[in-house]
Amino acid sequence: MKLFKNIILIIAFIALSAAAYFYYQRTHQANPADTYRLSEITQGDIEQTVSANGTLNPVTLVSVGTQISGIVKKLYVDFNDAVKKDQVLLELDNSLFMAQISQSQASVRNNQAAVELAQANEKRIRQLYAQEYVSKQELDTAVQVLKSAKAQLDSARGLLARDQTNLNFTIIRSPVSGVVVDRVVDVGQTVAASFQTPTLIKIAQDLSKMQINSSFAEADIGNIKVGQVTKFNVDAYPNRNFEGVVKQVRLNPTNTSNVVTYDVVISVDNNEQLLLPGMTAYVNIGVAKREQAWLVPNAALRYKPKLDNNTTDSAKNEPRKNASGRKKGNKGSDLNTGSIYILKDGKPLAIKVHTGITDGRNTEITGQDLKTHGINIGTQVIVAELQSNGQAQSGGNMRGPRMF
């Protein structure tokens, strides 16, 4: 009898424990918000851009040099001075050139006298030859001496013209109208033009028109076309956006450590004179735009749930995706597909979607499966799983976002 009572007590205890367990399970079911980080599908405009850094430069930058060597005697302009075409910028010491001209002028006079003597001698010999007092050889010699004297005179005059030209080169004039952006020399400095023309002054012809010289990676260059509107900003005005237009995509590639880039020239209006030569420009070129598109965070396309023995995942054999959710499958496969996950009965359900353009944070999605599963704007999608400490953890392979 006592044994029977003990058995009944044990059975009653087990029944009560089971009831308590089931009651606890029903009243303490896991809240999906405590397990997953969710985000809504939104609708809005999205623009895909490519970015690069560049340098602002004047459209025309003239380097003023000298063809002769000498000491800077006078300097008439300084940094930021506005100059006109043919305005005198500086003068070199002309003492040596003046002395050379004096020597050349004396040589011309000497040769002129030699020509006059040769002419008189040739005339006298010709008269004597006519009277048969001298031979034909003597006449030919007189003619040759006259011609040689004239050649010597022409040579001396040429040297004089050269020295006068060199004297004119001691006065450096501006070839264009513009603004002095750089001055390399000072008064008293010696400039040497023996092997190459030294630069003395740099003049920007028109600072109201500037250009950005930037380099874009070969992966982005196919989306850049002449005439595209670009936006950029500079460190001097961080809260202001400027605009430009793609002027030229240069065909000459630059290969640095096996990274191929192409130079892109962007024309910029600088009517306010805010942009200065040498500033670093952070350029963004819009290559695609969608209006009122369905958008999901890129993290939702990267997310893949953890798999266990009781969980099935229809997308577990899909190729890996990049940051925008685009597959990296074999050649010939559809690269613009991916999967997002929604919660159904407390478990992740994979929804296949077609991915469009991305701005680095959100990606455009379309697809028949969205309608099939009744997914609309505002539907919650999974972007990450939460650890016990509340921090997000990827359910699968996650890679950092690619910036556009």
Side-chain angles (χ1 to χ4, degrees):
M1 188 67 179
K2 185 177 181 181
L3 178 61
F4 179 73
K5 289 181 179 180
N6 291 337
I7 294 174
I8 292 175
L9 290 175
I10 293 173
I11 294 174
F13 177 77
I14 293 174
L16 288 174
S17 299
Y21 174 77
F22 286 112
Y23 176 78
Y24 178 83
Q25 289 292 329
R26 295 193 61 178
T27 57
H28 293 80
Q29 287 184 352
N31 187 354
D34 297 333
T35 306
Y36 301 98
R37 177 171 292 176
L38 306 176
S39 182
E40 292 184 353
I41 297 177
T42 59
Q43 186 176 27
D45 299 340
I46 185 172
E47 183 178 14
Q48 181 172 322
T49 62
V50 292
S51 304
N53 296 344
T55 304
L56 279 158
N57 294 305
V59 176
T60 303
L61 183 64
V62 180
S63 297
V64 181
T66 176
Q67 298 185 34
I68 59 174
S69 302
I71 300 174
V72 178
K73 182 179 180 181
K74 295 181 180 179
L75 193 61
Y76 297 101
V77 295
D78 203 350
F79 293 93
N80 301 339
D81 285 350
V83 296
K84 300 293 184 180
K85 185 178 180 179
D86 295 329
Q87 177 180 335
V88 177
L89 303 178
L90 58 88
E91 291 183 13
L92 300 178
D93 186 16
N94 60 3
S95 301
L96 293 177
F97 300 98
M98 292 295 295
Q100 188 65 40
I101 286 177
S102 298
Q103 183 178 353
S104 297
Q105 289 174 341
S107 179
V108 168
R109 291 192 296 269
N110 183 45
N111 284 277
Q112 181 67 42
V115 168
E116 293 174 356
L117 177 61
Q119 286 177 336
N121 187 49
E122 186 268 344
K123 183 178 180 181
R124 186 181 308 108
I125 294 297
R126 190 173 296 277
Q127 292 174 351
L128 293 174
Y129 176 75
Q131 298 175 5
E132 297 183 352
Y133 286 117
V134 295
S135 64
K136 182 68 168 55
Q137 182 179 1
E138 290 177 307
L139 176 61
D140 292 340
T141 301
V143 171
Q144 186 274 332
V145 171
L146 176 59
K147 290 181 179 181
S148 178
K150 289 182 177 180
Q152 292 293 332
L153 177 60
D154 291 338
S155 177
R157 287 173 175 172
L159 293 176
L160 176 61
R162 183 196 64 184
D163 294 336
Q164 289 175 337
T165 301
N166 286 335
L167 177 63
N168 293 333
F169 284 157
T170 60
I171 300 177
I172 310 299
R173 300 178 182 273
S174 175
V176 295
S177 299
V179 178
V180 177
V181 296
D182 191 15
R183 175 176 60 80
V184 183
V185 295
D186 290 302
V187 174
Q189 184 174 340
T190 301
V191 293
S194 302
F195 301 101
Q196 60 181 4
T197 301
T199 298
L200 308 179
I201 293 173
K202 291 183 179 180
I203 299 176
Q205 187 170 0
D206 185 7
L207 289 180
S208 64
K209 300 289 184 181
M210 301 189 72
Q211 67 183 25
I212 301 173
N213 297 91
S214 58
S215 297
F216 284 83
E218 60 177 326
D220 298 327
I221 202 67
N223 295 321
I224 301 175
K225 308 296 180 185
V226 174
Q228 284 178 327
V229 177
T230 68
K231 295 181 180 180
F232 68 95
N233 53 61
V234 295
D235 291 331
Y237 307 99
N239 298 322
R240 178 166 180 174
N241 290 326
F242 299 88
E243 288 190 355
V245 178
V246 177
K247 177 182 178 182
Q248 186 182 57
V249 179
R250 293 179 176 171
L251 303 180
N252 184 35
T254 301
N255 192 324
T256 304
S257 300
N258 294 326
V259 176
V260 179
T261 58
Y262 291 86
D263 291 336
V264 176
V265 180
I266 300 168
S267 60
V268 177
D269 288 331
N270 188 30
N271 296 324
E272 299 181 64
Q273 303 288 314
L274 297 177
L275 302 174
L276 304 180
M279 283 185 172
T280 300
Y282 306 95
V283 182
N284 293 288
I285 302 179
V287 297
K289 187 175 183 180
R290 300 285 188 273
E291 296 181 353
Q292 297 302 306
W294 285 27
L295 307 175
V296 296
N298 286 349
L301 291 163
R302 295 194 302 264
Y303 168 76
K304 298 192 75 173
K306 293 180 179 178
L307 302 181
D308 53 36
N309 296 332
N310 299 321
T311 304
T312 59
D313 181 11
S314 61
K316 71 178 182 178
N317 294 323
E318 290 183 355
R320 294 176 63 185
K321 308 175 185 69
N322 63 14
S324 63
R326 297 180 181 176
K327 294 181 182 179
K328 303 174 70 175
N330 296 329
K331 184 177 181 181
S333 62
D334 185 4
L335 299 181
N336 295 330
T337 60
S339 293
I340 59 175
Y341 288 82
I342 63 172
L343 283 176
K344 186 173 183 180
D345 299 329
K347 294 183 179 181
L349 175 65
I351 308 296
K352 292 184 178 180
V353 294
H354 292 276
T355 58
I357 65 174
T358 179
D359 61 2
R361 292 187 177 182
N362 299 310
T363 299
E364 174 193 14
I365 60 169
T366 57
Q368 185 63 35
D369 283 1
L370 297 174
K371 296 182 179 179
T372 301
H373 293 275
I375 296 176
N376 295 304
I377 298 171
T379 299
Q380 299 280 343
V381 296
I382 304 174
V383 296
E385 292 183 10
L386 298 178
Q387 299 177 351
S388 58
N389 58 6
Q391 295 184 354
Q393 176 178 314
S394 168
N397 291 324
M398 285 187 65
R399 301 172 67 185
R402 176 184 176 186
M403 300 306 295
F404 290 87

